Amino acid sequence: MIQLATRVTQVTPSLTLAITAKAKEMKAQGIDVCSFSSGEPDFDTPQHIKAAASSALAQGKTKYGPVAGENPLIEAIAHKLNQDNQLNYSGENIIVTNGGKHSLFNLMLALIETGDEVIIPAPYWLSYPEMVKLAQGTPVIVNTTAETDYKITPEQLRQAITSNTKLFVLNSPSNPTGMVYNREELEALAQVIIDHNLWVVSDEIYEKILYDGTEHISIGSLGEDIFNRTIISNGFAKSYSMTGWRIGYLAGPKDLIKATSTIQSHSTSNVCTFAQYGAVAALESPDSPQCLQKMLDAFTQRRQVILERIQAIPQLSCPTPMGAFYVFIDISQTGLNSLEFCDGLLNKQQVAAIPGKAFGADNCIRLSYATDLASIEKGMDRIEKFVNSLR
């Protein structure tokens, strides 16, 4: 039997991918499955983005490219960060990666060493602690509650810091909770980060998916001191429905970006060349805002429907998400933990949901409403039936 590296045995496989795969397998068998598991928009990539990539392909942009990314995309990202986020980055501060997840993985390898601690608020996107482990670091989980909308407080952050703390992971809008930090909350966290000379990585992949006039603020825009301690992770998957394109980016200090470029040069080389021209169109085409608004209108309607259905089930509760396309539901009144709940829901009612245990909250489940209204209504009917059967 092969002896695997210790780092692999310390990592938990992705529950979201596993449950999504199981739901797809059941569907392939002809079973009527309602899936709330997938973290991707159910819209096709906008036509103008596909056309730009197709044009690049026709023009022969099929060769190796620069490790850090095609120059037109680098420039477009820099312009976007300056204009949309008030972050003063130039091309040398940016690397294009194989998805937003890859940008974070590159960062962890470049920044984290054995013994370094990384503070991660829970509930968290399930890959954060696993990436830290793979980089030989130590994830330090700080639990938050629904009473604070699952946001870490400055006091909690301060208390979690030790002499080994190197990085704080911030995700706003959040997967899995949909919460969004406001300016005052970010300013308070920024002060703690500055006082303790930490780095902060701000995962902003859901920045365009917001509700009720909620504003996305990048923590690095709050002043020069915090800007100098900030690293930005972002990508095209969620806002432009480009999940399968695998295009993300990391922005930060030049030395860090140069280090991640070195790592990338020995792992994946460059990102798919012609696909990057589709990403340029996503950022620069006048058609993109209209496509985004169409998605937002649909998500807004779905969010209202799914919240009303959850509120009608006494044993379930959840805060109102202000961003992304998830609801994070407290199931503790059912008497089941998240694995028991999701296993029973899938096997008895053919509804796929993600156990909160994957996100560090075993008393909750995550539902994605990135699916059509008819499926939401049918799936919620089944969830209500399942919960009522537990009485």
Side-chain angles (χ1 to χ4, degrees), residues 272-316:
C272 176
T273 308
F274 55 87
Q276 293 185 58
Y277 290 87
V280 173
L283 292 178
E284 295 186 342
S285 172
D287 294 329
S288 289
Q290 182 180 356
C291 295
L292 173 60
Q293 190 59 52
K294 181 181 178 182
M295 279 205 306
L296 275 177
D297 290 344
F299 288 147
T300 300
Q301 184 181 13
R302 297 169 185 180
R303 168 178 168 263
Q304 180 180 349
V305 169
I306 201 168
L307 284 172
E308 289 174 354
R309 293 300 305 269
I310 293 165
Q311 290 161 3
I313 305 173
Q315 298 94 325
L316 305 182

Side-chain angles (χ1 to χ4, degrees), residues 4 83 85 99 102 113 126 141 160 194 205 216 247 278 285 295 301 354 366:
L4 299 173
Q83 293 297 116
N85 307 106
H102 188 223
E113 296 182 282
L126 74 173
I141 308 302
I194 293 166
I205 192 74
H216 168 73
I247 305 177
S285 172
M295 279 205 306
Q301 184 181 13
I354 305 297
R366 189 195 78 176

Side-chain angles (χ1 to χ4, degrees), residues 112-118 135-138 140 162-166:
I112 303 305
E113 296 182 282
T114 302
D116 286 342
E117 294 178 352
V118 179
Q136 306 295 302
T138 303
V140 176
T162 72
S163 59
N164 293 322
T165 306
K166 193 166 192 179

Side-chain angles (χ1 to χ4, degrees), residues 78-109:
H79 179 75
K80 179 264 178 202
L81 291 170
N82 276 265
Q83 293 297 116
D84 293 2
N85 307 106
Q86 292 74 56
L87 298 169
N88 186 26
Y89 289 122
S90 60
E92 59 191 355
N93 299 109
I94 296 162
I95 181 172
V96 179
T97 59
N98 290 275
K101 181 181 287 190
H102 188 223
S103 77
L104 290 162
F105 187 76
N106 280 348
L107 166 65
M108 296 303 176
L109 287 185

